[in-house]
Amino acid sequence: MIRRFVFGTMIETEAILQKPSACMDSLPYLKCSEESLSFSYEMGETDRIYGLGENVRGINKRGWIYESKCSDEPEHLEDRRSLYGAHNFLIVDGRETFGIFIDYPGILTFDIGYTRHDQMTITPSDWNLDLYLIEGDSLRDIVRQFRHLIGRSYIAPRWALGYGQCRWSYMSADEVREVVKNHRDLHIPLDMVYLDIDYMERYKDFTVNEETFPNLDKLVEELKEEHIRLVPIIDAGVKQEEGYSVYEEGMKKGYFCKREDGTPFVAAVWPGKSMLPDMLNKEARDWFGSQYQFLLDKGIEGFWNDMNEPAIFYTEDRLKEVIEEIGTFRGQNLDLDKYFYFTGLVQGLHNNRDYYKQFYHNIDGRQIRHDRVHNLYGYQMTRAAGEAFERLVPDKRILMFSRASYIGMHRYGGIWMGDNKSWWSHILLNLKMLPSLNMCGFLYTGADLGGFGSDTTEDLLLRWMALGIFTPLMRNHAARDTRRQEVYRFENIDGFRHLIGLRYRLLPYLYSEYMKAVLRYDCMFRPLAFDYPADPHAAQVEDQLMLGEELMIAPVCQPNADGRYVYLPETMKLIRFKENGSIEEEILDAGHHYVKVALTDVVLFLRPDHLLPLSQGGQYAEEIDFEQLSYLSYVKTKAVYEYYHDDGCSRDYENPAHLSTIIIDTEGNVTIE
Ligand code: GLC
């Protein structure tokens, strides 16, 4: 059951397409205080809180204060309160079990046992919001109801579940060719190479640097022959430059965000001084979306949208003030306070909160200050693209994922988890965000494998890959000035080939589970507690996940480990994929086990009366035969699997012909119905 409670008059987010009528009953579970502008809930000692999508800390979010504020935050440390997304959905699970969604485009905080251990307090910046309360038969049922409410998640083309290689940046067409050649020569499967900001002409959206990437359309064609797709980045900021058509047209039509007095708001990003398209204005959004045509025409079939929190390096005015103020420090003796103030002047230029109070959106003729709708910017940028693809290429699935997001954006694209680091703790953070993001509708997702910032190491990348082979978005990406981390740069190429190769063997299962999760409004990755609600140990597990209907995964997230402890909520079959191609199977009883996992082993756990379909593998997604399958199974009486299989590119998703049932009996006989 879903009830909608209305407080004040919210600014429309379109997170929900068909709103239930407002409930007039008094709000259950939560205490609502208009004086302190907050909702609070007394948590029981063992209550757990799930959700909040992309954020730091645990699967159980209790014990910290989170801020819903899309942030350009490359330091994913435990003390941060927000990352790039604003996902205001959570589930309380304990004495009482219910879900809450706060549909509110401004900044709000979720204090979940931070100030007081037994109290959760939700504080918006003003009192204009819709609050949804969702009750259901189980945690999964609550998620499903919520997901129905917010609409079906974006569906990626199947090739986008292949492996992708990225770096900030491959500087020329030849460098891209070399990346492709190295993968192909060494038989390391690959489907995508990403183009970061340097493919553009001086970081101008919808341009191509003709010197370093001459005839991009030819390159796209040439690489398609090798079954490789190029996926360029698009940034939110549009360079301010006379003669640059996107800038000139946007200015002429009044499509950029403005200051209160109507003058242009100039903010700097990669190209220096830039304009922010008013993504919240329908006309401007349509206009920005239609710009993607430039690259679609060159044969591009996928994009990633970046810097759309929006990230702002500085504003013209603030930079001027800071430079002047710094001048006044000349010759001074800087004591403690002065020194920190001085260094803070420059540090405070980047993404200063004040900037968000200095520009306005034109939403249906109303001027709305950005901070009131901050969390919608990346969402609406990605919607601009998604709606344009519907118009421009209605028969095709286009790959799209974004950095910033709000619930609602999940209908238009996926997300990646932003600028993580080559840290062991970030493998675990990647794992923990998966179920939380799935709850909020983001199914096409994954992290920068190997870590974006800092220098990676071979063992870190191998262990991270052993998780990444399960995530729909599987991309190796690193920042400039870091150690190069294409897998062929390392010694153990056989190990990487084995891991990535296994991803392609798993594709029939992963794609089937991804599609079923989308079409059934379900989670592909779930905390153990969702599947074993009566098991108190399962609720404690923060480093294992259920993956689809058949499997549990338990990746190794520690350096120098020869294995790890794994908790089995029931008897399962351990399946070990070894680098030499052999597959070992062993039945393990419910309970705790130390499981050895060599650096290039992949270990997974199959539930009783379940099965895992495997392909023969291939060098790219289109080479995979999704019909010639082999099976691993754990049959006690009968294993039954519902297999989703379509052509991976057209859009008749719901066609029942895409589903078949695979049955394996105790004798090992396979029947497909
Ligand atoms: C941002 C993105 C990162 C990208 C870089 C340069 O930091 O998050 O993925 O490589 O910008 O475009």
Side-chain angles (χ1 to χ4, degrees):
M1 184 176 68
I2 304 185
R3 279 175 286 176
R4 168 172 165 241
F5 296 88
V6 173
F7 297 85
T9 314
M10 71 174 277
I11 300 173
E12 192 45 64
T13 66
E14 292 174 82
I16 287 155
L17 297 177
Q18 286 199 325
K19 295 187 186 190
S21 48
C23 177
M24 295 303 166
D25 302 345
S26 57
L27 182 67
Y29 303 115
L30 306 171
K31 265 199 231 123
C32 141
S33 149
E34 285 207 33
E35 284 134 57
S36 62
L37 273 182
S38 63
F39 302 98
S40 57
Y41 179 71
E42 290 293 317
M43 296 184 287
E45 188 54 33
T46 56
D47 283 7
R48 290 169 300 275
I49 311 293
Y50 296 108
L52 293 189
E54 184 182 38
N55 222 312
V56 296
R57 300 221 170 194
I59 293 177
N60 178 356
K61 303 310 279 186
R62 194 163 175 168
W64 187 240
I65 179 167
Y66 306 88
E67 192 178 33
S68 240
K69 173 180 169 282
C70 295
S71 303
D72 170 18
E73 178 53 85
E75 304 294 328
H76 304 179
L77 295 158
E78 270 182 54
D79 65 354
R80 298 303 128 117
R81 295 182 176 188
S82 39
L83 297 176
Y84 310 85
H87 305 144
N88 305 337
F89 171 67
L90 58 79
I91 305 177
V92 175
D93 179 30
R95 284 187 311 203
E96 298 168 315
T97 298
F98 58 94
I100 306 173
F101 173 55
I102 313 269
D103 195 6
Y104 178 70
I107 294 161
L108 72 157
T109 56
F110 293 89
D111 176 341
I112 309 180
Y114 167 76
T115 305
R116 264 186 50 198
H117 176 72
D118 60 353
Q119 189 148 325
M120 171 165 77
T121 309
I122 304 172
T123 314
S125 313
D126 66 56
W127 208 235
N128 295 304
L129 55 90
D130 280 5
L131 184 152
Y132 293 82
L133 264 185
I134 306 150
E135 291 161 310
D137 299 337
S138 63
L139 294 166
R140 236 173 137 171
D141 179 43
I142 290 171
V143 170
R144 282 193 204 112
Q145 291 188 51
F146 172 61
R147 296 267 304 285
H148 271 281
L149 185 71
I150 59 174
R152 193 176 73 198
S153 300
Y154 160 78
I155 297 178
R158 193 171 58 197
W159 55 261
L161 274 77
Y163 175 58
Q165 180 59 52
C166 189
R167 179 164 183 91
W168 174 17
S169 291
Y170 295 124
M171 300 300 288
S172 66
D174 282 344
E175 205 179 338
V176 169
R177 288 190 181 99
E178 192 192 309
V179 172
V180 172
K181 185 171 184 318
N182 281 326
H183 282 85
R184 289 286 181 255
D185 285 356
L186 293 163
H187 303 288
I188 301 163
L190 185 71
D191 265 277
M192 286 153 282
V193 176
Y194 290 83
L195 297 180
D196 208 322
I197 48 176
D198 294 280
Y199 80 88
M200 296 181 235
E201 187 206 324
R202 286 174 297 122
Y203 314 127
K204 290 189 289 186
D205 278 341
F206 312 112
T207 67
V208 175
N209 183 331
E210 288 296 333
E211 271 167 39
T212 49
F213 288 89
N215 301 323
L216 185 68
D217 39 357
K218 292 272 159 14
L219 180 69
V220 171
E221 209 181 294
E222 171 194 325
L223 293 178
K224 265 192 203 161
E225 271 160 33
E226 304 238 26
H227 308 276
I228 299 286
R229 261 105 176 170
L230 281 181
V231 184
I233 195 169
I234 301 293
D235 284 300
V238 167
K239 184 174 169 64
Q240 185 187 47
E241 186 182 271
E242 298 304 322
Y244 164 40
S245 64
V246 183
Y247 167 72
E248 292 208 330
E249 201 179 315
M251 282 301 280
K252 199 164 103 210
K253 300 213 163 126
Y255 288 157
F256 296 124
C257 294
K258 300 187 181 72
R259 291 186 175 272
E260 195 175 8
D261 62 6
T263 57
F265 176 75
V266 184
V269 213
W270 306 120
K273 290 179 198 170
S274 305
M275 316 301 292
L276 292 171
D278 189 353
M279 307 290 185
L280 279 69
N281 174 275
K282 185 173 179 329
E283 252 184 61
R285 190 163 62 230
D286 288 349
W287 166 77
F288 190 81
S290 55
Q291 306 301 317
Y292 286 79
Q293 175 100 55
F294 170 76
L295 288 158
L296 292 171
D297 284 348
K298 297 192 182 307
I300 295 290
E301 294 173 72
F303 302 86
W304 45 312
N305 277 350
D306 193 22
M307 304 297 271
N308 49 4
E309 293 70 34
I312 297 180
F313 294 168
Y314 60 84
T315 59
E316 260 185 325
D317 301 359
R318 183 68 195 141
L319 181 68
K320 193 158 161 268
E321 281 166 19
V322 167
I323 291 174
E324 273 166 21
E325 203 173 342
I326 284 178
T328 67
F329 282 78
R330 203 184 299 267
Q332 280 197 44
N333 174 5
L334 302 187
D335 63 8
L336 184 150
D337 291 337
K338 277 197 187 151
Y339 173 73
F340 284 123
Y341 181 78
F342 174 76
T343 53
L345 279 173
V346 175
Q347 280 159 11
L349 273 174
H350 195 93
N351 298 326
N352 193 313
R353 279 180 183 239
D354 287 344
Y355 301 154
Y356 296 139
K357 298 185 180 145
Q358 294 168 7
F359 63 98
Y360 288 74
H361 298 277
N362 170 357
I363 306 179
D364 301 327
R366 281 168 70 203
Q367 293 300 116
I368 308 234
R369 201 170 79 178
H370 176 80
D371 59 338
R372 296 189 60 203
V373 287
H374 171 72
N375 290 332
L376 302 184
Y377 194 83
Y379 161 21
Q380 298 296 354
M381 176 187 182
T382 300
R383 178 180 177 186
E387 288 180 343
F389 302 152
E390 296 272 344
R391 280 195 310 273
L392 305 171
V393 271
D395 298 329
K396 216 172 189 179
R397 297 188 209 174
I398 300 288
L399 169 61
M400 163 49 65
F401 57 94
S402 168
R403 195 170 72 173
S405 58
Y406 180 83
I407 290 172
M409 201 207 84
H410 70 288
R411 298 191 298 265
Y412 302 99
I415 59 172
W416 90 100
M417 297 173 187
D419 296 346
N420 57 14
K421 292 252 163 59
S422 300
W423 294 345
W424 289 90
S425 58
H426 279 183
I427 305 181
L428 195 53
L429 184 61
N430 175 175
L431 180 144
K432 289 177 184 185
M433 283 200 261
L434 287 167
S436 314
L437 280 169
N438 280 193
M439 291 174 212
C440 297
F442 294 95
L443 295 189
Y444 186 80
T445 187
D448 287 350
L449 301 176
F452 174 74
S454 318
D455 291 334
T456 202
T457 58
E458 181 177 81
D459 56 343
L460 175 85
L461 184 55
L462 281 165
R463 289 298 196 196
W464 207 328
M465 284 270 174
L467 167 63
I469 60 169
F470 300 118
T471 60
L473 167 60
M474 182 189 180
R475 180 176 78 150
N476 175 341
H477 181 33
R480 66 181 201 177
D481 304 326
T482 58
R483 179 180 186 178
R484 301 202 73 107
Q485 66 186 42
E486 296 82 11
V487 298
Y488 52 79
R489 309 261 174 194
F490 298 94
E491 243 175 282
N492 195 350
I493 290 176
D494 292 345
F496 286 111
R497 183 187 304 110
H498 161 63
L499 293 180
I500 301 169
L502 181 56
R503 157 62 162 226
Y504 283 75
R505 293 202 67 194
L506 290 168
L507 265 185
Y509 178 67
L510 295 173
Y511 181 71
S512 167
E513 290 304 308
Y514 165 71
M515 290 302 291
K516 286 193 302 185
V518 171
L519 298 174
R520 295 172 183 178
Y521 301 85
D522 210 338
C523 295
M524 182 173 169
F525 293 97
R526 298 176 304 281
L528 271 50
F530 274 48
D531 290 50
Y532 304 93
D535 178 346
H537 295 293
Q540 295 296 312
V541 177
E542 288 266 339
D543 58 357
Q544 304 172 199
L545 294 175
M546 304 311 297
L547 163 52
E549 296 304 327
E550 317 295 291
L551 302 179
M552 182 179 81
I553 55 168
V556 173
C557 307
Q558 298 282 348
N560 306 315
D562 67 356
R564 54 161 291 170
Y565 284 96
V566 178
Y567 176 67
L568 268 62
E570 62 180 324
T571 301
M572 290 183 176
K573 183 186 263 190
L574 178 156
I575 297 178
R576 179 186 305 277
F577 295 90
K578 297 202 65 72
E579 191 185 314
N580 65 10
S582 65
I583 299 176
E584 295 171 0
E585 304 181 25
E586 183 189 351
I587 311 281
L588 293 181
D589 290 336
H592 291 93
H593 297 265
Y594 189 82
V595 175
K596 289 232 177 194
V597 190
L599 201 49
T600 55
D601 279 3
V602 174
V603 163
L604 40 85
F605 301 86
L606 188 57
R607 302 170 83 171
D609 281 335
H610 285 78
L611 64 92
L612 175 66
L614 287 175
S615 81
Q616 297 306 306
Q619 291 298 296
Y620 45 89
E622 282 159 0
E623 198 185 19
I624 301 293
D625 188 336
F626 284 80
E627 281 166 14
Q628 283 304 312
L629 304 174
S630 59
Y631 305 97
L632 294 166
S633 60
Y634 177 19
V635 185
K636 286 191 138 175
T637 50
K638 184 167 78 169
V640 181
Y641 180 61
E642 238 188 320
Y643 179 50
Y644 184 98
H645 167 53
D646 65 3
D647 65 4
C649 57
S650 48
R651 292 179 151 196
D652 66 332
Y653 311 119
E654 308 272 0
N655 187 337
H658 300 331
L659 277 173
S660 55
T661 308
I662 301 168
I663 301 163
I664 303 186
D665 64 18
T666 42
E667 309 288 301
N669 300 314
V670 181
T671 339
I672 301 178
E673 290 171 359

